[in-house]
Amino acid sequence: MLASFTPPSRAHLLCLVIGAAGGFVFYLLHMPLPWMLGAMAFTTLAAVSGVRIALMPRVRMVFVAVLGIMLGSQFSPAILDHVAMWLVSFLWLGLYVVIATWAVRWFYVKIARYDPVTAYFAAAPGGLSEMILAGSAFGGDEARISLAHGARILVAVFALSFGYRWFGGYAPGGAPMLGTTAPLATIDIFWLALAGFAGYFVARLIRLPAHALVGPMFLSAALHLAGVTESKPPQEVVVIAQVVIGSMIGARFTGLAFGLVLRGILLAVGATALLLGLAAAFGLAVAWSAGLPFASTLLAFAPGGLAEMSLIALALGIDAAYVSSHHVVRIFMIIVAAPLVFRLLGGRRSG
């Protein structure tokens, strides 16, 4: 294992330094979710300015797993009382995925003038890596699909973070701290570490999507639901995880032409506005039919990434277990159904 270790390059170190600087600046400015948003903003600007930055996959996996452990700690036995309401919400989610995909596909075909294959896989709201691979296999434009998903997450995170602050009254000062500041007992460190390592490797072995986050989250949730531990990862580690996740988003734009990125972000503003409108409509429907808070249902249906939307929920004190569960289910729906539906509807390779 040590023999295969690759030391970080200048691009890897620079990415983390820029991300940490951005997070610190946003923290000083009292921005919402400062460590992730600041890292995301600074690394995105660096990437589109031509700075060569990258993030080591192993570093990313470690801190994504930390977030998974943190999310799992939000599950408690009391959640079992709400399972019936969650099932109603999951049914609405399935309908949302279908309508949202076709609405955004129309947007990318008619407005962006993308070919049908690229438009379809750029529109499917979830599973970034999987949609890039599937879209490429069918002959879609890999760069445009990647940019569409990366820019969607970028726009959605900023829009929702500031939207909840400006219109929802979620002030940073009133939000709960992420992670624990109390010293962890040795046994709790053991259980949290077990959730991270075992969850990661088991999820990877059975090929779960987003395995670095989903596996630790599931095992951490099981330990917390069973009452084995009530502990959370240390606050400092969660802050670093936010910097890494934010930097990861910005680093995706490295090597892309400025004009391509700018157009992609502008298109993502339109696509994300459409998705947020649909998410709000479905969020209201779920809030009405299942008796759940609209602040939670909107974030559960919002068109951002699993890690990013879950972090927003944690930072705002919104039911993170509910939000993260819906994004996990959405990703499963998209990954399983999108290529299959494309074939059933007579989809052909582009070109």
Side-chain angles (χ1 to χ4, degrees):
M1 192 71 179
L2 290 175
S4 63
F5 173 74
T6 303
S9 68
R10 178 179 178 276
H12 298 136
L13 294 174
L14 187 59
C15 183
L16 290 176
V17 169
I18 293 173
F24 186 63
V25 169
F26 272 44
Y27 172 77
L28 293 177
L29 295 174
H30 302 289
M31 294 289 189
L33 202 59
W35 295 104
M36 184 175 75
L37 285 187
M40 189 167 61
F42 274 47
T43 53
T44 298
L45 288 172
V48 300
S49 300
V51 179
R52 303 295 300 183
I53 57 173
L55 199 59
M56 294 182 72
R58 290 181 182 177
V59 172
R60 179 181 63 200
M61 293 297 183
V62 167
F63 287 101
V64 167
V66 168
L67 176 58
I69 298 168
M70 182 69 192
L71 289 173
S73 71
Q74 304 301 303
F75 288 77
S76 67
I79 284 175
L80 299 177
D81 298 332
H82 305 292
V83 170
M85 291 187 294
W86 284 26
L87 291 176
V88 173
S89 188
F90 287 141
L91 292 175
W92 281 106
L93 180 64
L95 182 59
Y96 164 78
V97 166
V98 173
I99 294 176
T101 299
W102 286 102
V104 179
R105 178 187 177 276
W106 173 90
F107 174 85
Y108 277 119
V109 168
K110 299 297 183 181
I111 306 300
R113 301 298 180 185
Y114 285 0
D115 66 85
V117 177
T118 299
Y120 179 81
F121 287 99
L128 184 147
S129 298
E130 292 80 5
M131 291 305 97
I132 293 172
L133 291 173
S136 178
F138 281 105
D141 188 321
E142 185 175 323
R144 284 179 170 174
I145 295 171
S146 174
L147 183 56
H149 286 285
R152 168 176 57 82
I153 293 172
L154 180 74
V155 173
V157 171
F158 268 96
L160 288 164
S161 297
F162 283 95
Y164 272 87
R165 178 175 177 178
W166 292 338
F167 304 110
Y170 290 88
M177 299 301 294
L178 302 189
T180 181
T181 56
L184 290 174
T186 303
I187 187 63
D188 290 318
I189 294 174
F190 168 78
W191 287 121
L192 294 179
L194 177 68
F197 283 104
Y200 171 83
F201 286 110
V202 171
R204 182 181 178 184
L205 183 65
I206 62 177
R207 298 179 182 274
L208 283 179
H211 61 271
L213 188 145
V214 172
M217 184 182 80
F218 280 173
L219 188 48
S220 175
L223 293 173
H224 284 82
L225 284 170
V228 174
T229 181
E230 296 180 354
S231 296
K232 301 176 182 180
Q235 179 186 324
E236 295 82 3
V237 177
V238 178
V239 166
I240 297 172
Q242 293 177 69
V243 170
V244 169
I245 290 168
S247 301
M248 178 174 65
I249 296 172
R252 287 192 182 117
F253 299 107
T254 299
L256 297 177
F258 177 78
L260 179 65
V261 173
L262 180 60
R263 184 171 188 268
I265 291 176
L266 291 175
L267 288 171
V269 170
T272 305
L274 182 58
L275 285 168
L276 283 174
L278 289 169
F282 277 87
L284 286 170
V286 174
W288 170 77
S289 61
L292 294 166
F294 177 65
S296 298
T297 59
L298 173 60
L299 205 52
F301 283 72
L306 166 60
E308 295 79 15
M309 296 300 100
S310 300
L311 265 174
I312 292 176
L314 285 169
L316 299 179
I318 293 172
D319 190 346
Y322 170 81
V323 172
S324 60
S325 296
H326 279 66
H327 284 283
V328 169
V329 171
R330 173 180 56 81
I331 290 171
F332 271 102
M333 288 178 179
I334 291 293
I335 290 173
V336 172
L340 178 62
V341 170
F342 187 77
R343 291 191 186 98
L344 292 175
L345 294 178
R348 297 185 299 275
R349 286 182 60 89
S350 180

